[in-house]
Amino acid sequence: MAKKIPKQLVHSVRYTALEAIERINHGGAYSNLLLNELIKKNQVADKDTGLLTELVYGTVSRKRLLAFYLTPFTAQAKRIDSWVQSLLELSVYQLIFLDRVPAHAILNEAVEIAKAKGNPGIGKFVNGVLRSLQRKGTPPLTDIQDQMERLAIEISLPTFLTEKFVQEIGIEETRKLGLSLLEPSHVSARIDVQRISRESAIDQLKEEGIEARLSEVSPYGIIADKGFLAGSKLYEDGLLTIQDESSMLVAQIMGVKPGEQILDACSAPGGKTTHMAALLEGKGKITALDIHEHKLKLVQENAERLQVSEVIETKAMDARTVDEHFAAESFDRILIDAPCSGLGLMRRKPDIKYQKSPEDFRQLPKIQRAILESCASTLKKGGILVYSTCTITSEENQKVIAAFLKEHPEFEKVELAVNKVVQPAIQDKMLVLYPEMLMTDGFFICAMRKKDK
């Protein structure tokens, strides 16, 4: 029978943070989806939701570094339950990185949680570890002899991923990348500029107490510095949708024109689909595919809220079979926002980096190339095919494009329509946007034209 935890403790921000971290560590949920559920379940006070988010994201994103700091003080323990380790990491995160929280409050609540979830002995152990760390300080990273391991722990990335990035962009750029992932992500939204200007949207949000500014990355974007965008009247009225600035670049690069036939081969949850639909201005059609029927419901719901459902038709289909279902030269433009490792999202979903294995980077490119292969014949001559991912590994990006172009000389890369802020991320006519460059999600985009002859 599970131990009954005192109600006062259950409602506390640190207990809820521990519960979230434990579920994330055991693969129970993505961090971004879990917090809202736990805030409601544990009835966390509104004033504490910001701190809760900071505790969970801060602890999960620095997991390897926090574990390293704890090692000298836990090495003698025969066995440490995973929740106790998580409680210690959560407490060390607060002690080192959140100076606004008094140390005595951190220790007292950690001990109370340890006693309530475990027993007085665990409370004593947690108290001893944290007081020793406070007294002696954390071990220096220079204690780690191996340079790659030292960097991996400093930026809290799995060692194999650190090695992969160092191989691709070098040690210093990998350090910059890794440290930038420890910064809080900002919330951005796309405005339907067909119906309201970004400036007018910002003025209306201000009336609701939401402070926002223009995005420098996308001509459709705004960034919220304060307030809850998804609770705004603009969101409710379908004039605004939550979307990362980097993701907004896709529809812009697609160059959609009213009256065109568009294929969105991997459309869920529909952010890019609905953006392209808005640019059609009610004329033309987007055929939006996804392998999962339930995910297409998200596309349909988003399309209805954003008032663009009349130009979107959803179909459940494996994008690797497009050429079996559509005639050759059916579409003016095709978007393949391919399934990928999602490593560009590590700031927003810090747990994603711990769920990857080297095998992922062998299997995913096979799927990505199969989708490209299947869609190629259904594009009209002179049409544009855009391949995008929310990842930053060359195996899923540049190498996939190189392999496709080698097999398909009838396609050629074209220049990408981006502004001067984004221009430094263009390499060989491809957008290779790392998360530290503009503090967006990491993203890759390549646009290819099917030659007329």
Side-chain angles (χ1 to χ4, degrees), residues 156-176:
S156 272
L157 273 181
T159 304
F160 88 92
L161 275 183
T162 305
E163 289 169 346
K164 177 184 285 298
F165 289 133
V166 167
Q167 197 174 4
E168 292 192 8
I169 59 174
I171 283 188
E172 277 316 305
E173 288 305 313
T174 299
R175 178 176 280 107
K176 282 183 201 168

Side-chain angles (χ1 to χ4, degrees), residues 44-55:
V44 177
D46 287 348
K47 67 180 175 62
D48 288 333
T49 56
L51 176 60
L52 173 64
T53 303
E54 191 169 3
L55 292 179

Side-chain angles (χ1 to χ4, degrees), residues 10 26 31 45 57 71 159 219 239 269 300 423 426 431 443 448:
V10 169
H26 290 98
S31 48
Y57 276 70
T71 301
T159 304
L239 295 165
Q300 290 156 359
Q423 198 64 41
I426 304 292
L431 178 86
F443 223 84
M448 294 168 283

Side-chain angles (χ1 to χ4, degrees), residues 305-325:
R305 184 177 62 80
L306 296 166
Q307 298 174 35
V308 291
S309 56
E310 74 280 1
V311 293
I312 296 173
E313 181 186 357
T314 59
K315 286 179 189 286
M317 190 183 298
D318 186 331
R320 291 170 289 188
T321 66
V322 163
D323 57 352
E324 297 169 25
H325 295 88

Side-chain angles (χ1 to χ4, degrees), residues 2 11 17 38 48 63 166 193 231 255 301 357 393 412 429:
H11 297 331
L38 288 177
D48 288 333
K63 182 171 175 56
V166 167
V193 297
E301 286 165 12
S357 72
T393 67
E412 61 185 354
K429 296 185 180 177

